Structures are given as structure tokens and as C-alpha cells.
């Protein structure tokens, strides 16, 4: 039962570098989400997708990009890493508006 | 657009005491409601959910929540907490089965020995 899988689990980036956070789910969910969680703070929605080929901005999309070419995969791209992007990133998926299933998170530090 | 409010950002409680974590939402139409738990350094897990039917829903580890439509609330309760309940708790709502899930800011529950 893989569920939602995120890679990598940890990453240290230098300012200005780029990277892609991978997210894949095997539950055939149409909705997928990317959140960031800063220490002591709640979840902030970065981007979400309601199906392959469809993406939309959440609360904090600046500095990020996404794509959804397949139902299973929803990668998050950071083009020019900044210290403000130091956070824990969670990917989630759901069948429409029903309960969301979360990955274990990616802890990103930008130095 | 719907929103979720969790009025208490931190709730300290002694072991074996009762606890209530409050959640209110804003929506004028039917909703689905969820509570998630996040243990330290882990992802979020579904604790319980209300989709329809009985307004009182229970989890396997002793938590319960009651949907109150008139007060637009979905408070989480447990009659006797354990140290292992120390975690962050998130309330979430979706308006229909065709809308994304919206999360509240979370409540940090600390159980004191």
C-alpha cells in the first residue's frame, strides 16, 4: 500500500539553485495538492490540480511551478531557491473533495 | 469561499483530563468535515470524518466530533487524554464532493504528565 510517495525526504539547496520535489500516488485520485508547513504554522496551499493537465494556484504560489501530465504524478519545481522557501513540503491526493491522503513530507533547507 | 477557523492555537492539558479542540467553518451549503492528526516529524493522518448521516462520529482511539449545522462547528473531544495524544490537530472542510479540501491553521495539543 504505497499511497502518496514523496522524494526526496531531505534536501539542502544553495540560494539560486533549482530542484524538483517528486510526488506520486497510486490511488487513482483526481485531486492532488502541494502544501508547505513552516515551524509552528499550519498548512499553506501552494498549488493544486483537479486532474491531468489542470493546475491552479493556491495561497502561496510565488517561486514555485507545477505540472500534471499524468494522474499519478504531481511534481513541484523550485526555480531559484530562496531562504524563505526553507520549509517542510507535503503532497496530498484525494478523490475530489473527500479525505486527503498525505505523503511523509520533504524537509527542504535553503542556505 | 469556505474557510475554517480553529480558535485555539495551543491547548495544554493534564493527562487523563478531558479536552475539546474547537473548529468552526463558514459555508452556507452542505459540507464534508474532517479532523487530521500530525504527530511530530510525520505527515498528516485522517482521524475522523463526517460525510452524512449521524452527526456524531468517532475515531478508533477514543476521539469523537459532533457536526452542528446551526453553529457551523465540528469540535473534537476526548474524555481522557494520554501522553501519546500530543500532536498537531487540523480541522478541514470541503463544500461538496467536487471541491478541494481546505485546512484550518491547526491546534497544538500538549498532554502534561
Amino acid at each position: 500500500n504505497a499511497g502518496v510517495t514523496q522524494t526526496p525526504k531531505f534536501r539542502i539547496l544553495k540560494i539560486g539553485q533549482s530542484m524538483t520535489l517528486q510526488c506520486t500516488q497510486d490511488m487513482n485520485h483526481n485531486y492532488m495538492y502541494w502544501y508547505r508547513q513552516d515551524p509552528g504554522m499550519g498548512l499553506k496551499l501552494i498549488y493544486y490540480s483537479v486532474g491531468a493537465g489542470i493546475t491552479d494556484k493556491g495561497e502561496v504560489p510565488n517561486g514555485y511551478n507545477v505540472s500534471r501530465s499524468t494522474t499519478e504524478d504531481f511534481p513541484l519545481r523550485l526555480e531559484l531557491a530562496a531562504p524563505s522557501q526553507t520549509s517542510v513540503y507535503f503532497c496530498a491526493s484525494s478523490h475530489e473533495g473527500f479525505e486527503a491522503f498525505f505523503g511523509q513530507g520533504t524537509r527542504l533547507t535553503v542556505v | 469561499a469556505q474557510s475554517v477557523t480553529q480558535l485555539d492555537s495551543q491547548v495544554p492539558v493534564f493527562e487523563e483530563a478531558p479536552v475539546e479542540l474547537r473548529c468552526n467553518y463558514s459555508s452556507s451549503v452542505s459540507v464534508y468535515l474532517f479532523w487530521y492528526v500530525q504527530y511530530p516529524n510525520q505527515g498528516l493522518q485522517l482521524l475522523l470524518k463526517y460525510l452524512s448521516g449521524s452527526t456524531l462520529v468517532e475515531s478508533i482511539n477514543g476521539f469523537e466530533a459532533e457536526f452542528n449545522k446551526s453553529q457551523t462547528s465540528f469540535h473534537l473531544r476526548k474524555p481522557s487524554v494520554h501522553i501519546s495524544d500530543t500532536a498537531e490537530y487540523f480541522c478541514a472542510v470541503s463544500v461538496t464532493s467536487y471541491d478541494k479540501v481546505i485546512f484550518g491553521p491547526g491546534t497544538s495539543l500538549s498532554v502534561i504528565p
Side-chain angles (χ1 to χ4, degrees), chain A residues 31 33 35 37 40-43 45 48 50 57 90 94-105 107, chain B residues 32 34 36 38 41-46 49 51 88 90 94 96-106:
Chain A
Y31 283 42
Y33 315 79
Y35 296 91
Q37 185 179 35
M41 305 294 286
L43 299 170
L45 182 64
Y48 68 101
V50 299
K57 296 177 181 179
F90 288 102
S94 69
H95 174 63
E96 295 169 349
F98 294 102
E99 65 262 34
F101 292 79
F102 283 79
Q104 288 300 299
R107 190 175 297 273
Chain B
Y32 298 140
F34 312 92
Y36 288 81
Q38 183 183 30
N41 299 312
Q42 294 189 26
L44 279 74
Q45 307 170 35
L46 181 70
K49 62 185 178 185
L51 302 181
E88 191 82 14
F90 293 91
S94 67
T96 69
S97 64
Y98 292 91
D99 202 358
K100 62 184 181 295
V101 180
I102 300 295
F103 284 83

Side-chain angles (χ1 to χ4, degrees), chain B residues 13-16 81-83 86 110-113:
Chain B
V13 62
F14 286 103
E15 192 174 15
E16 298 184 2
V81 295
H82 303 288
I83 296 291
T86 293
S110 298
V111 180
I112 305 163

Side-chain angles (χ1 to χ4, degrees), chain B:
Chain B
Q2 71 271 29
S3 64
V4 181
T5 304
Q6 293 181 249
L7 291 174
D8 306 304
S9 60
Q10 295 183 346
V11 174
V13 62
F14 286 103
E15 192 174 15
E16 298 184 2
V19 70
E20 178 181 80
L21 306 183
R22 295 180 291 170
C23 172
N24 289 87
Y25 65 93
S26 63
S27 175
S28 59
V29 296
S30 296
V31 296
Y32 298 140
L33 295 159
F34 312 92
W35 274 101
Y36 288 81
V37 59
Q38 183 183 30
Y39 298 106
N41 299 312
Q42 294 189 26
L44 279 74
Q45 307 170 35
L46 181 70
L47 188 60
L48 47 76
K49 62 185 178 185
Y50 169 79
L51 302 181
S52 64
S54 174
T55 57
L56 183 65
V57 291
E58 298 177 353
S59 72
I60 59 173
N61 57 353
F63 282 94
E64 65 178 29
E66 186 162 18
F67 169 51
N68 188 319
K69 187 175 181 179
S70 62
Q71 297 185 4
T72 60
S73 67
F74 191 55
H75 301 332
L76 182 70
R77 302 185 184 93
K78 189 170 186 179
S80 176
V81 295
H82 303 288
I83 296 291
S84 59
D85 293 324
T86 293
E88 191 82 14
Y89 291 80
F90 293 91
C91 183
V93 62
S94 67
V95 171
T96 69
S97 64
Y98 292 91
D99 202 358
K100 62 184 181 295
V101 180
I102 300 295
F103 284 83
T107 297
S108 178
L109 174 64
S110 298
V111 180
I112 305 163

Side-chain angles (χ1 to χ4, degrees), chain A residues 26-43:
Chain A
D26 62 359
M27 296 172 282
N28 201 33
H29 286 162
N30 50 351
Y31 283 42
M32 294 188 75
Y33 315 79
W34 273 107
Y35 296 91
R36 60 176 287 172
Q37 185 179 35
D38 299 319
M41 305 294 286
L43 299 170

Side-chain angles (χ1 to χ4, degrees), chain A residues 4-17:
Chain A
V4 179
T5 302
Q6 290 183 238
T7 57
K9 287 186 171 55
F10 303 93
R11 183 72 186 268
I12 298 174
L13 277 183
K14 293 184 179 179
I15 294 171
Q17 286 185 320

